Amino acid sequence: MTKTNDNARFARNRRVLAVEGGHRPYGLVCTVRDHSFPSDKPESSGGADSGPDPFELLMGSLAACTAMTLRMYLDRRAVDVGEIRVSVEHDDASRSDRPAFRRVVALDRPIDDAVLQRLRDIADRCPVHKVIAAGSRVETRFVDSCPRAEVEER
């Protein structure tokens, strides 16, 4: 399959594969398209800290999606704000029924209040923000032991 066709397939049906094989006991190697990255638990939770934990990956997804969404909007309108930096925090101590994320956006250049308000609205339209805010259904299916390639294609 060509890379273009492979990317089109993932755009329709996104998939990340996480496979044990990193640092034990919790280290994983995650693969999406042509990219691989580690995930692990911190040492304080019994892991080897060989990569971000799953929750940190979620926070990173929100930060990255926010920055990309803002950049696309600003570029289309030829608004120069310099570099965009997004920080996302979550307090584990606040384990309530509906946990809150704190997102902070920093721009290199000042902008007027009207543009700032519009950017707040645009940040809330980032696809990852929308999925987190709306909640998602998670369907889980277990399969019999099978070769890795077969799991990757399911």
Side-chain angles (χ1 to χ4, degrees):
M1 185 176 279
T2 67
K3 188 167 185 164
T4 302
N5 289 342
D6 193 43
N7 286 340
R9 180 174 60 91
F10 274 94
R12 286 190 314 271
N13 188 13
R14 295 174 186 237
R15 178 181 301 148
V16 175
L17 177 66
V19 178
E20 288 185 320
H23 295 83
R24 295 292 178 162
Y26 304 116
L28 301 166
V29 176
C30 302
T31 305
V32 60
R33 297 188 330 261
D34 296 327
H35 309 284
S36 294
F37 53 92
S39 183
D40 199 351
K41 298 292 259 172
E43 289 179 358
S44 62
S45 296
D49 201 20
S50 63
D53 72 29
F55 203 80
E56 291 165 333
L57 291 171
L58 175 63
M59 294 179 350
S61 294
L62 178 58
C65 186
T66 300
M68 289 177 192
T69 300
L70 291 171
R71 175 56 60 205
M72 284 187 285
Y73 175 83
L74 292 164
D75 284 354
R76 274 184 256 155
R77 280 146 188 85
V79 176
D80 183 12
V81 297
E83 184 178 74
I84 299 170
R85 292 176 305 285
V86 180
S87 171
V88 174
E89 296 178 1
H90 180 269
D91 184 4
D92 280 342
S94 71
R95 296 177 191 248
S96 67
D97 287 343
R98 187 158 168 105
F101 293 90
R102 288 179 299 282
R103 178 173 53 185
V104 177
V105 178
L107 308 172
D108 275 350
R109 294 187 178 87
I111 55 174
D112 66 50
D113 289 340
V115 174
L116 185 59
Q117 182 54 49
R118 184 68 182 139
L119 292 182
R120 283 188 184 103
D121 294 339
I122 296 300
D124 287 349
R125 292 183 183 175
C126 123
V128 173
H129 173 102
K130 289 164 63 173
V131 166
I132 291 170
S136 289
R137 184 179 71 250
V138 176
E139 299 172 0
T140 303
R141 179 171 53 104
F142 284 83
V143 297
D144 292 333
S145 198
C146 58
R148 182 180 300 209
E150 194 174 324
V151 173
E152 292 172 0
E153 292 302 315
R154 288 183 183 221

